[in-house]
Amino acid sequence: EAGVTQSPTHLIKTRGQQATLRCSPISGHTSVYWYQQALGLGLQFLLWYDEGEERNRGNFPPRFSGRQFPNYSSELNVNALELEDSALYLCASSLGVSRGTEAFFGQGTRLTVV
Amino acid sequence: GENVEQHPSTLSVQEGDSAVIKCTYSDSASNYFPWYKQELGKRPQLIIDIRSNVGEKKDQRIAVTLNKTAKHFSLHITETQPEDSAVYFCAATGGTSYGKLTFGQGTILTVHP
């Protein structure tokens, strides 16, 4: 069974551009979570989607947004990129609300803003 | 919202020794506490978790204890091996932060052969 997959693995963008990151959850999982891991720091919660709806949002500006598709895959969009957005973006999935909270992570997308 | 503090930030032990990492949380309604291991350049991997209706859980050389009254939980690794070297993160969720894992700052564990 495939785990959580993310694409692309690496992404290099120029300041001011937009970045789109994609995540495919484990089969059967309906919840998708996005986290930012800046170099040397811990994991900061960005967004949680379940059954196509945004359920919770972390303390990030509105230029961080996303969505979840009917097949439960998700994308994270970052607009007006800033240098400090450079980080590893991790996606995780779980069975979803009331069915299980164990979250399993993808390998991440390394975003570099130059 | 939930706040999770993790100590120590770095831990160095000799192979065969035990390692203990401690976390405290702020939201008394939190009810799920996972631990993740992240090796350099790899994804965080769930290694053990505990729910609030249990005080202790063990899986081979790894154990987690939970003290709900004091709002802290700990990871215990016995008979450490060099391959245990990694960054370990604790997390908490539930209550007002349901669905959102709040992570501790991480502990860099180094096991010297």
Side-chain angles (χ1 to χ4, degrees):
Chain A
E1 179 181 307
V4 178
T5 57
Q6 293 185 243
S7 64
T9 305
H10 294 85
L11 189 58
I12 299 175
K13 291 286 186 177
T14 303
R15 189 171 51 183
Q17 286 187 316
Q18 178 195 33
T20 298
L21 290 62
R22 296 180 175 84
C23 173
S24 292
I26 292 171
S27 177
H29 285 193
T30 62
S31 275
V32 170
Y33 312 83
W34 288 94
Y35 287 85
Q36 182 195 66
Q37 188 175 33
L39 193 62
L41 298 177
L43 291 86
Q44 302 300 316
F45 171 76
L46 272 163
L47 291 159
W48 170 34
Y49 292 96
D50 183 72
E51 297 284 357
E53 293 189 14
E54 183 180 301
R55 299 287 187 171
N56 206 336
R57 183 182 178 85
N59 296 323
F60 281 84
R63 58 190 186 83
F64 286 84
S65 65
R67 55 179 171 167
Q68 187 177 35
F69 299 99
N71 66 353
Y72 304 115
S73 67
S74 176
E75 68 178 29
L76 173 70
N77 295 292
V78 188
N79 294 319
L81 284 166
E82 300 179 2
L83 296 177
E84 51 265 34
D85 296 334
S86 295
L88 180 67
Y89 288 83
L90 290 160
C91 170
S93 74
S94 74
L95 283 170
V97 176
S98 79
R99 291 197 295 147
T101 44
E102 293 88 348
F104 301 92
F105 282 87
Q107 81 283 4
T109 292
R110 174 72 64 185
L111 173 63
T112 302
V113 182
V114 298
Chain B
E2 177 65 277
N3 183 51
V4 177
E5 297 287 334
Q6 182 173 347
H7 298 281
S9 56
T10 61
L11 180 58
S12 182
V13 300
Q14 289 296 128
E15 183 177 1
D17 287 350
S18 294
V20 180
I21 303 170
K22 299 180 180 180
C23 290
T24 60
Y25 60 98
S26 61
D27 186 352
S28 57
S30 287
N31 57 12
Y32 175 65
F33 308 91
W35 286 88
Y36 287 85
K37 173 184 180 183
Q38 188 176 27
E39 297 177 60
L40 190 63
K42 296 189 176 181
R43 73 187 74 189
Q45 287 192 303
L46 178 66
I47 57 173
I48 196 167
D49 56 14
I50 192 167
R51 299 187 184 276
S52 58
N53 58 348
V54 175
E56 183 174 359
K57 185 177 178 180
K58 189 173 182 180
D59 183 4
Q60 299 183 340
R61 297 187 295 109
I62 294 173
V64 57
T65 58
L66 172 66
N67 183 324
K68 287 190 295 182
T69 303
K71 290 189 287 186
H72 67 70
F73 56 112
S74 300
L75 177 71
H76 304 253
I77 306 175
T78 59
E79 300 172 21
T80 54
Q81 301 167 3
E83 50 265 40
D84 294 330
S85 296
V87 181
Y88 290 81
F89 291 98
C90 64
T93 189
T96 58
S97 300
Y98 183 75
K100 166 188 170 182
L101 278 172
T102 300
F103 284 85
Q105 301 89 330
T107 296
I108 302 173
L109 173 64
T110 304
V111 180
H112 299 281

mmCIF file of all heavy atoms in Angstrom, chain B residues 45-94:
data_model
loop_
_atom_site.group_PDB
_atom_site.id
_atom_site.type_symbol
_atom_site.label_atom_id
_atom_site.label_comp_id
_atom_site.label_asym_id
_atom_site.label_seq_id
_atom_site.Cartn_x
_atom_site.Cartn_y
_atom_site.Cartn_z
ATOM 1 N N GLN B 45 8.360 9.956 11.275
ATOM 2 C CA GLN B 45 7.695 8.664 11.337
ATOM 3 C C GLN B 45 7.087 8.465 12.715
ATOM 4 O O GLN B 45 7.764 8.652 13.732
ATOM 5 C CB GLN B 45 8.678 7.526 11.033
ATOM 6 C CG GLN B 45 9.072 7.450 9.564
ATOM 7 C CD GLN B 45 9.797 6.161 9.249
ATOM 8 O OE1 GLN B 45 10.816 5.869 9.859
ATOM 9 N NE2 GLN B 45 9.290 5.384 8.303
ATOM 10 N N LEU B 46 5.831 8.075 12.737
ATOM 11 C CA LEU B 46 5.139 7.788 13.988
ATOM 12 C C LEU B 46 5.745 6.544 14.622
ATOM 13 O O LEU B 46 5.794 5.477 13.998
ATOM 14 C CB LEU B 46 3.650 7.571 13.712
ATOM 15 C CG LEU B 46 2.763 7.218 14.891
ATOM 16 C CD1 LEU B 46 2.681 8.393 15.873
ATOM 17 C CD2 LEU B 46 1.367 6.844 14.408
ATOM 18 N N ILE B 47 6.241 6.671 15.853
ATOM 19 C CA ILE B 47 6.880 5.527 16.497
ATOM 20 C C ILE B 47 6.043 4.967 17.642
ATOM 21 O O ILE B 47 6.107 3.767 17.933
ATOM 22 C CB ILE B 47 8.302 5.865 17.001
ATOM 23 C CG1 ILE B 47 8.294 7.054 17.965
ATOM 24 C CG2 ILE B 47 9.227 6.106 15.825
ATOM 25 C CD1 ILE B 47 9.642 7.313 18.626
ATOM 26 N N ILE B 48 5.273 5.794 18.301
ATOM 27 C CA ILE B 48 4.408 5.338 19.371
ATOM 28 C C ILE B 48 3.447 6.458 19.715
ATOM 29 O O ILE B 48 3.732 7.638 19.461
ATOM 30 C CB ILE B 48 5.228 4.896 20.613
ATOM 31 C CG1 ILE B 48 4.376 4.063 21.577
ATOM 32 C CG2 ILE B 48 5.850 6.096 21.313
ATOM 33 C CD1 ILE B 48 5.188 3.337 22.650
ATOM 34 N N ASP B 49 2.287 6.115 20.243
ATOM 35 C CA ASP B 49 1.339 7.137 20.659
ATOM 36 C C ASP B 49 0.582 6.644 21.886
ATOM 37 O O ASP B 49 0.621 5.455 22.230
ATOM 38 C CB ASP B 49 0.379 7.502 19.526
ATOM 39 C CG ASP B 49 -0.382 6.295 18.975
ATOM 40 O OD1 ASP B 49 -0.381 5.216 19.610
ATOM 41 O OD2 ASP B 49 -0.960 6.424 17.875
ATOM 42 N N ILE B 50 -0.081 7.564 22.556
ATOM 43 C CA ILE B 50 -0.840 7.207 23.745
ATOM 44 C C ILE B 50 -2.074 8.084 23.813
ATOM 45 O O ILE B 50 -2.045 9.250 23.404
ATOM 46 C CB ILE B 50 0.034 7.336 25.024
ATOM 47 C CG1 ILE B 50 -0.660 6.694 26.223
ATOM 48 C CG2 ILE B 50 0.370 8.795 25.295
ATOM 49 C CD1 ILE B 50 0.263 6.504 27.422
ATOM 50 N N ARG B 51 -3.152 7.518 24.301
ATOM 51 C CA ARG B 51 -4.389 8.280 24.461
ATOM 52 C C ARG B 51 -4.616 8.553 25.941
ATOM 53 O O ARG B 51 -4.064 7.874 26.805
ATOM 54 C CB ARG B 51 -5.558 7.515 23.846
ATOM 55 C CG ARG B 51 -5.352 7.302 22.363
ATOM 56 C CD ARG B 51 -6.537 6.711 21.638
ATOM 57 N NE ARG B 51 -6.203 6.454 20.241
ATOM 58 C CZ ARG B 51 -6.257 7.367 19.290
ATOM 59 N NH1 ARG B 51 -6.652 8.592 19.575
ATOM 60 N NH2 ARG B 51 -5.939 7.064 18.050
ATOM 61 N N SER B 52 -5.486 9.499 26.206
ATOM 62 C CA SER B 52 -5.611 10.000 27.577
ATOM 63 C C SER B 52 -6.233 9.005 28.538
ATOM 64 O O SER B 52 -6.189 9.216 29.746
ATOM 65 C CB SER B 52 -6.425 11.302 27.589
ATOM 66 O OG SER B 52 -7.704 11.084 27.028
ATOM 67 N N ASN B 53 -6.790 7.909 28.025
ATOM 68 C CA ASN B 53 -7.387 6.922 28.923
ATOM 69 C C ASN B 53 -6.390 5.831 29.341
ATOM 70 O O ASN B 53 -6.745 4.861 29.991
ATOM 71 C CB ASN B 53 -8.614 6.281 28.275
ATOM 72 C CG ASN B 53 -8.269 5.605 26.952
ATOM 73 O OD1 ASN B 53 -7.187 5.800 26.417
ATOM 74 N ND2 ASN B 53 -9.193 4.820 26.433
ATOM 75 N N VAL B 54 -5.124 6.046 28.951
ATOM 76 C CA VAL B 54 -4.065 5.079 29.252
ATOM 77 C C VAL B 54 -2.908 5.808 29.921
ATOM 78 O O VAL B 54 -2.581 6.931 29.540
ATOM 79 C CB VAL B 54 -3.578 4.386 27.962
ATOM 80 C CG1 VAL B 54 -2.401 3.468 28.251
ATOM 81 C CG2 VAL B 54 -4.714 3.625 27.309
ATOM 82 N N GLY B 55 -2.277 5.178 30.904
ATOM 83 C CA GLY B 55 -1.177 5.831 31.593
ATOM 84 C C GLY B 55 0.192 5.482 31.042
ATOM 85 O O GLY B 55 1.144 6.246 31.182
ATOM 86 N N GLU B 56 0.277 4.303 30.407
ATOM 87 C CA GLU B 56 1.569 3.864 29.884
ATOM 88 C C GLU B 56 1.349 2.921 28.709
ATOM 89 O O GLU B 56 0.380 2.154 28.672
ATOM 90 C CB GLU B 56 2.367 3.156 30.974
ATOM 91 C CG GLU B 56 3.758 2.726 30.544
ATOM 92 C CD GLU B 56 4.588 2.155 31.690
ATOM 93 O OE1 GLU B 56 4.076 2.122 32.828
ATOM 94 O OE2 GLU B 56 5.740 1.759 31.456
ATOM 95 N N LYS B 57 2.264 2.979 27.758
ATOM 96 C CA LYS B 57 2.214 2.093 26.596
ATOM 97 C C LYS B 57 3.631 1.727 26.212
ATOM 98 O O LYS B 57 4.516 2.580 26.235
ATOM 99 C CB LYS B 57 1.502 2.783 25.433
ATOM 100 C CG LYS B 57 1.293 1.917 24.200
ATOM 101 C CD LYS B 57 0.514 2.694 23.157
ATOM 102 C CE LYS B 57 0.306 1.922 21.884
ATOM 103 N NZ LYS B 57 -0.473 2.708 20.883
ATOM 104 N N LYS B 58 3.847 0.451 25.885
ATOM 105 C CA LYS B 58 5.190 0.003 25.569
ATOM 106 C C LYS B 58 5.208 -0.759 24.258
ATOM 107 O O LYS B 58 4.274 -1.495 23.936
ATOM 108 C CB LYS B 58 5.709 -0.894 26.708
ATOM 109 C CG LYS B 58 7.174 -1.249 26.601
ATOM 110 C CD LYS B 58 7.643 -1.998 27.843
ATOM 111 C CE LYS B 58 9.132 -2.317 27.739
ATOM 112 N NZ LYS B 58 9.622 -3.045 28.946
ATOM 113 N N ASP B 59 6.278 -0.558 23.495
ATOM 114 C CA ASP B 59 6.475 -1.284 22.244
ATOM 115 C C ASP B 59 7.954 -1.610 22.126
ATOM 116 O O ASP B 59 8.753 -0.772 21.738
ATOM 117 C CB ASP B 59 6.012 -0.443 21.053
ATOM 118 C CG ASP B 59 6.139 -1.190 19.728
ATOM 119 O OD1 ASP B 59 6.519 -2.384 19.733
ATOM 120 O OD2 ASP B 59 5.877 -0.575 18.679
ATOM 121 N N GLN B 60 8.325 -2.800 22.518
ATOM 122 C CA GLN B 60 9.703 -3.275 22.510
ATOM 123 C C GLN B 60 10.576 -2.347 23.350
ATOM 124 O O GLN B 60 10.392 -2.267 24.567
ATOM 125 C CB GLN B 60 10.205 -3.411 21.071
ATOM 126 C CG GLN B 60 9.384 -4.423 20.264
ATOM 127 C CD GLN B 60 9.899 -4.640 18.862
ATOM 128 O OE1 GLN B 60 10.628 -3.828 18.297
ATOM 129 N NE2 GLN B 60 9.527 -5.753 18.270
ATOM 130 N N ARG B 61 11.522 -1.637 22.753
ATOM 131 C CA ARG B 61 12.441 -0.807 23.554
ATOM 132 C C ARG B 61 11.893 0.598 23.815
ATOM 133 O O ARG B 61 12.542 1.413 24.467
ATOM 134 C CB ARG B 61 13.785 -0.680 22.831
ATOM 135 C CG ARG B 61 14.524 -1.977 22.643
ATOM 136 C CD ARG B 61 15.924 -1.733 22.066
ATOM 137 N NE ARG B 61 15.869 -1.172 20.712
ATOM 138 C CZ ARG B 61 16.199 0.070 20.416
ATOM 139 N NH1 ARG B 61 16.594 0.927 21.359
ATOM 140 N NH2 ARG B 61 16.139 0.490 19.165
ATOM 141 N N ILE B 62 10.721 0.878 23.312
ATOM 142 C CA ILE B 62 10.158 2.223 23.423
ATOM 143 C C ILE B 62 8.925 2.190 24.316
ATOM 144 O O ILE B 62 8.089 1.283 24.202
ATOM 145 C CB ILE B 62 9.790 2.776 22.038
ATOM 146 C CG1 ILE B 62 11.056 2.980 21.208
ATOM 147 C CG2 ILE B 62 9.020 4.074 22.144
ATOM 148 C CD1 ILE B 62 10.764 3.374 19.770
ATOM 149 N N ALA B 63 8.798 3.180 25.191
ATOM 150 C CA ALA B 63 7.622 3.298 26.049
ATOM 151 C C ALA B 63 7.252 4.771 26.168
ATOM 152 O O ALA B 63 8.110 5.654 26.054
ATOM 153 C CB ALA B 63 7.885 2.699 27.424
ATOM 154 N N VAL B 64 5.981 5.008 26.386
ATOM 155 C CA VAL B 64 5.508 6.359 26.631
ATOM 156 C C VAL B 64 4.643 6.344 27.886
ATOM 157 O O VAL B 64 3.870 5.408 28.095
ATOM 158 C CB VAL B 64 4.733 6.928 25.419
ATOM 159 C CG1 VAL B 64 3.568 6.037 25.043
ATOM 160 C CG2 VAL B 64 4.273 8.344 25.668
ATOM 161 N N THR B 65 4.828 7.353 28.737
ATOM 162 C CA THR B 65 4.018 7.488 29.932
ATOM 163 C C THR B 65 3.277 8.813 29.876
ATOM 164 O O THR B 65 3.759 9.789 29.299
ATOM 165 C CB THR B 65 4.892 7.439 31.197
ATOM 166 O OG1 THR B 65 5.876 8.485 31.131
ATOM 167 C CG2 THR B 65 5.591 6.099 31.319
ATOM 168 N N LEU B 66 2.117 8.847 30.479
ATOM 169 C CA LEU B 66 1.271 10.044 30.482
ATOM 170 C C LEU B 66 0.776 10.328 31.888
ATOM 171 O O LEU B 66 0.253 9.435 32.562
ATOM 172 C CB LEU B 66 0.085 9.854 29.532
ATOM 173 C CG LEU B 66 -1.007 10.926 29.557
ATOM 174 C CD1 LEU B 66 -0.470 12.266 29.051
ATOM 175 C CD2 LEU B 66 -2.216 10.483 28.734
ATOM 176 N N ASN B 67 0.947 11.558 32.314
ATOM 177 C CA ASN B 67 0.429 12.018 33.599
ATOM 178 C C ASN B 67 -0.550 13.148 33.297
ATOM 179 O O ASN B 67 -0.150 14.288 33.054
ATOM 180 C CB ASN B 67 1.565 12.505 34.503
ATOM 181 C CG ASN B 67 1.090 12.920 35.880
ATOM 182 O OD1 ASN B 67 -0.014 13.476 36.026
ATOM 183 N ND2 ASN B 67 1.897 12.672 36.893
ATOM 184 N N LYS B 68 -1.839 12.830 33.289
ATOM 185 C CA LYS B 68 -2.842 13.826 32.909
ATOM 186 C C LYS B 68 -2.963 14.944 33.934
ATOM 187 O O LYS B 68 -3.221 16.095 33.592
ATOM 188 C CB LYS B 68 -4.202 13.155 32.720
ATOM 189 C CG LYS B 68 -4.309 12.320 31.471
ATOM 190 C CD LYS B 68 -5.753 11.895 31.224
ATOM 191 C CE LYS B 68 -6.252 10.976 32.314
ATOM 192 N NZ LYS B 68 -7.644 10.524 32.064
ATOM 193 N N THR B 69 -2.764 14.597 35.196
ATOM 194 C CA THR B 69 -2.896 15.601 36.250
ATOM 195 C C THR B 69 -1.834 16.683 36.092
ATOM 196 O O THR B 69 -2.128 17.876 36.180
ATOM 197 C CB THR B 69 -2.773 14.954 37.633
ATOM 198 O OG1 THR B 69 -3.770 13.928 37.745
ATOM 199 C CG2 THR B 69 -2.943 15.980 38.727
ATOM 200 N N ALA B 70 -0.623 16.236 35.839
ATOM 201 C CA ALA B 70 0.487 17.175 35.683
ATOM 202 C C ALA B 70 0.602 17.680 34.250
ATOM 203 O O ALA B 70 1.412 18.567 33.969
ATOM 204 C CB ALA B 70 1.793 16.515 36.113
ATOM 205 N N LYS B 71 -0.154 17.099 33.344
ATOM 206 C CA LYS B 71 -0.122 17.470 31.922
ATOM 207 C C LYS B 71 1.267 17.322 31.337
ATOM 208 O O LYS B 71 1.820 18.261 30.724
ATOM 209 C CB LYS B 71 -0.694 18.881 31.706
ATOM 210 C CG LYS B 71 -2.193 18.956 31.941
ATOM 211 C CD LYS B 71 -2.799 20.274 31.520
ATOM 212 C CE LYS B 71 -2.424 21.368 32.475
ATOM 213 N NZ LYS B 71 -3.108 22.657 32.191
ATOM 214 N N HIS B 72 1.856 16.137 31.554
ATOM 215 C CA HIS B 72 3.104 15.861 30.867
ATOM 216 C C HIS B 72 3.179 14.406 30.452
ATOM 217 O O HIS B 72 2.506 13.530 31.011
ATOM 218 C CB HIS B 72 4.331 16.318 31.670
ATOM 219 C CG HIS B 72 4.591 15.561 32.935
ATOM 220 N ND1 HIS B 72 5.033 14.248 32.973
ATOM 221 C CD2 HIS B 72 4.521 15.956 34.231
ATOM 222 C CE1 HIS B 72 5.201 13.866 34.214
ATOM 223 N NE2 HIS B 72 4.911 14.867 34.997
ATOM 224 N N PHE B 73 3.943 14.160 29.419
ATOM 225 C CA PHE B 73 4.157 12.817 28.911
ATOM 226 C C PHE B 73 5.611 12.667 28.485
ATOM 227 O O PHE B 73 6.279 13.654 28.167
ATOM 228 C CB PHE B 73 3.181 12.489 27.768
ATOM 229 C CG PHE B 73 3.202 13.431 26.598
ATOM 230 C CD1 PHE B 73 3.681 13.015 25.366
ATOM 231 C CD2 PHE B 73 2.705 14.725 26.695
ATOM 232 C CE1 PHE B 73 3.676 13.854 24.261
ATOM 233 C CE2 PHE B 73 2.703 15.585 25.607
ATOM 234 C CZ PHE B 73 3.187 15.145 24.390
ATOM 235 N N SER B 74 6.087 11.453 28.549
ATOM 236 C CA SER B 74 7.514 11.200 28.324
ATOM 237 C C SER B 74 7.729 10.008 27.408
ATOM 238 O O SER B 74 6.940 9.067 27.411
ATOM 239 C CB SER B 74 8.224 10.939 29.649
ATOM 240 O OG SER B 74 8.103 12.041 30.519
ATOM 241 N N LEU B 75 8.816 10.065 26.662
ATOM 242 C CA LEU B 75 9.265 8.965 25.805
ATOM 243 C C LEU B 75 10.491 8.335 26.460
ATOM 244 O O LEU B 75 11.421 9.047 26.837
ATOM 245 C CB LEU B 75 9.617 9.473 24.410
ATOM 246 C CG LEU B 75 10.159 8.437 23.435
ATOM 247 C CD1 LEU B 75 9.053 7.473 23.009
ATOM 248 C CD2 LEU B 75 10.788 9.105 22.210
ATOM 249 N N HIS B 76 10.471 7.012 26.597
ATOM 250 C CA HIS B 76 11.575 6.288 27.190
ATOM 251 C C HIS B 76 12.114 5.304 26.151
ATOM 252 O O HIS B 76 11.342 4.494 25.602
ATOM 253 C CB HIS B 76 11.117 5.514 28.424
ATOM 254 C CG HIS B 76 10.454 6.359 29.456
ATOM 255 N ND1 HIS B 76 11.056 6.695 30.652
ATOM 256 C CD2 HIS B 76 9.227 6.941 29.487
ATOM 257 C CE1 HIS B 76 10.229 7.444 31.366
ATOM 258 N NE2 HIS B 76 9.114 7.615 30.673
ATOM 259 N N ILE B 77 13.392 5.394 25.870
ATOM 260 C CA ILE B 77 14.041 4.441 24.971
ATOM 261 C C ILE B 77 15.089 3.697 25.776
ATOM 262 O O ILE B 77 15.995 4.313 26.354
ATOM 263 C CB ILE B 77 14.713 5.142 23.771
ATOM 264 C CG1 ILE B 77 13.704 6.036 23.035
ATOM 265 C CG2 ILE B 77 15.300 4.098 22.814
ATOM 266 C CD1 ILE B 77 14.335 6.858 21.909
ATOM 267 N N THR B 78 14.968 2.381 25.853
ATOM 268 C CA THR B 78 15.951 1.569 26.577
ATOM 269 C C THR B 78 16.918 0.916 25.597
ATOM 270 O O THR B 78 16.623 0.797 24.397
ATOM 271 C CB THR B 78 15.254 0.491 27.406
ATOM 272 O OG1 THR B 78 14.479 -0.332 26.519
ATOM 273 C CG2 THR B 78 14.330 1.097 28.454
ATOM 274 N N GLU B 79 18.068 0.523 26.135
ATOM 275 C CA GLU B 79 19.098 -0.165 25.342
ATOM 276 C C GLU B 79 19.326 0.546 24.006
ATOM 277 O O GLU B 79 19.214 -0.054 22.925
ATOM 278 C CB GLU B 79 18.688 -1.624 25.106
ATOM 279 C CG GLU B 79 18.502 -2.402 26.402
ATOM 280 C CD GLU B 79 17.907 -3.788 26.155
ATOM 281 O OE1 GLU B 79 18.007 -4.308 25.024
ATOM 282 O OE2 GLU B 79 17.316 -4.328 27.101
ATOM 283 N N THR B 80 19.626 1.824 24.082
ATOM 284 C CA THR B 80 19.755 2.625 22.870
ATOM 285 C C THR B 80 20.819 2.075 21.921
ATOM 286 O O THR B 80 21.823 1.487 22.345
ATOM 287 C CB THR B 80 20.090 4.086 23.199
ATOM 288 O OG1 THR B 80 21.261 4.123 24.035
ATOM 289 C CG2 THR B 80 18.924 4.761 23.906
ATOM 290 N N GLN B 81 20.553 2.293 20.626
ATOM 291 C CA GLN B 81 21.452 1.855 19.565
ATOM 292 C C GLN B 81 21.778 3.049 18.674
ATOM 293 O O GLN B 81 20.994 4.007 18.617
ATOM 294 C CB GLN B 81 20.774 0.744 18.754
ATOM 295 C CG GLN B 81 20.388 -0.465 19.599
ATOM 296 C CD GLN B 81 19.436 -1.411 18.870
ATOM 297 O OE1 GLN B 81 19.085 -1.209 17.708
ATOM 298 N NE2 GLN B 81 19.014 -2.453 19.583
ATOM 299 N N PRO B 82 22.904 3.015 17.962
ATOM 300 C CA PRO B 82 23.262 4.153 17.101
ATOM 301 C C PRO B 82 22.152 4.532 16.120
ATOM 302 O O PRO B 82 21.973 5.714 15.810
ATOM 303 C CB PRO B 82 24.515 3.661 16.375
ATOM 304 C CG PRO B 82 25.141 2.712 17.346
ATOM 305 C CD PRO B 82 23.985 2.006 18.011
ATOM 306 N N GLU B 83 21.390 3.554 15.664
ATOM 307 C CA GLU B 83 20.309 3.849 14.716
ATOM 308 C C GLU B 83 19.123 4.571 15.364
ATOM 309 O O GLU B 83 18.199 5.014 14.668
ATOM 310 C CB GLU B 83 19.827 2.574 14.014
ATOM 311 C CG GLU B 83 19.524 1.436 14.937
ATOM 312 C CD GLU B 83 20.700 0.486 15.098
ATOM 313 O OE1 GLU B 83 21.870 0.952 15.181
ATOM 314 O OE2 GLU B 83 20.448 -0.738 15.157
ATOM 315 N N ASP B 84 19.159 4.718 16.681
ATOM 316 C CA ASP B 84 18.138 5.530 17.358
ATOM 317 C C ASP B 84 18.448 7.020 17.226
ATOM 318 O O ASP B 84 17.602 7.860 17.556
ATOM 319 C CB ASP B 84 18.053 5.168 18.842
ATOM 320 C CG ASP B 84 17.542 3.757 19.080
ATOM 321 O OD1 ASP B 84 16.744 3.267 18.256
ATOM 322 O OD2 ASP B 84 17.947 3.145 20.097
ATOM 323 N N SER B 85 19.645 7.359 16.760
ATOM 324 C CA SER B 85 20.032 8.764 16.602
ATOM 325 C C SER B 85 19.116 9.435 15.579
ATOM 326 O O SER B 85 18.975 8.972 14.438
ATOM 327 C CB SER B 85 21.488 8.869 16.149
ATOM 328 O OG SER B 85 22.354 8.348 17.132
ATOM 329 N N ALA B 86 18.462 10.506 15.989
ATOM 330 C CA ALA B 86 17.491 11.207 15.151
ATOM 331 C C ALA B 86 16.941 12.393 15.949
ATOM 332 O O ALA B 86 17.331 12.616 17.098
ATOM 333 C CB ALA B 86 16.347 10.276 14.748
ATOM 334 N N VAL B 87 16.026 13.128 15.327
ATOM 335 C CA VAL B 87 15.280 14.158 16.046
ATOM 336 C C VAL B 87 13.923 13.565 16.423
ATOM 337 O O VAL B 87 13.251 12.960 15.583
ATOM 338 C CB VAL B 87 15.069 15.423 15.192
ATOM 339 C CG1 VAL B 87 14.311 16.486 15.995
ATOM 340 C CG2 VAL B 87 16.404 15.982 14.723
ATOM 341 N N TYR B 88 13.557 13.693 17.680
ATOM 342 C CA TYR B 88 12.296 13.174 18.169
ATOM 343 C C TYR B 88 11.359 14.338 18.499
ATOM 344 O O TYR B 88 11.753 15.308 19.149
ATOM 345 C CB TYR B 88 12.522 12.315 19.413
ATOM 346 C CG TYR B 88 13.214 11.010 19.087
ATOM 347 C CD1 TYR B 88 14.603 10.965 18.926
ATOM 348 C CD2 TYR B 88 12.495 9.831 18.917
ATOM 349 C CE1 TYR B 88 15.245 9.785 18.597
ATOM 350 C CE2 TYR B 88 13.133 8.642 18.594
ATOM 351 C CZ TYR B 88 14.506 8.624 18.435
ATOM 352 O OH TYR B 88 15.142 7.452 18.102
ATOM 353 N N PHE B 89 10.124 14.222 18.031
ATOM 354 C CA PHE B 89 9.110 15.249 18.284
ATOM 355 C C PHE B 89 7.941 14.643 19.044
ATOM 356 O O PHE B 89 7.440 13.576 18.679
ATOM 357 C CB PHE B 89 8.565 15.812 16.967
ATOM 358 C CG PHE B 89 9.542 16.633 16.182
ATOM 359 C CD1 PHE B 89 10.252 16.063 15.133
ATOM 360 C CD2 PHE B 89 9.734 17.976 16.457
ATOM 361 C CE1 PHE B 89 11.155 16.817 14.383
ATOM 362 C CE2 PHE B 89 10.632 18.738 15.723
ATOM 363 C CZ PHE B 89 11.335 18.151 14.690
ATOM 364 N N CYS B 90 7.495 15.338 20.077
ATOM 365 C CA CYS B 90 6.238 14.974 20.717
ATOM 366 C C CYS B 90 5.156 15.882 20.146
ATOM 367 O O CYS B 90 5.449 16.925 19.559
ATOM 368 C CB CYS B 90 6.325 15.129 22.232
ATOM 369 S SG CYS B 90 6.593 16.836 22.793
ATOM 370 N N ALA B 91 3.910 15.478 20.316
ATOM 371 C CA ALA B 91 2.798 16.287 19.815
ATOM 372 C C ALA B 91 1.566 16.002 20.657
ATOM 373 O O ALA B 91 1.479 14.973 21.353
ATOM 374 C CB ALA B 91 2.522 15.997 18.338
ATOM 375 N N ALA B 92 0.614 16.906 20.581
ATOM 376 C CA ALA B 92 -0.639 16.754 21.309
ATOM 377 C C ALA B 92 -1.782 17.279 20.454
ATOM 378 O O ALA B 92 -1.612 18.196 19.656
ATOM 379 C CB ALA B 92 -0.588 17.506 22.642
ATOM 380 N N THR B 93 -2.939 16.666 20.626
ATOM 381 C CA THR B 93 -4.129 17.147 19.929
ATOM 382 C C THR B 93 -5.369 16.757 20.720
ATOM 383 O O THR B 93 -5.316 15.921 21.620
ATOM 384 C CB THR B 93 -4.215 16.585 18.496
ATOM 385 O OG1 THR B 93 -5.290 17.255 17.796
ATOM 386 C CG2 THR B 93 -4.515 15.090 18.497
ATOM 387 N N GLY B 94 -6.488 17.328 20.355
ATOM 388 C CA GLY B 94 -7.746 17.054 21.025
ATOM 389 C C GLY B 94 -8.272 18.324 21.669
ATOM 390 O O GLY B 94 -7.645 19.374 21.637
#
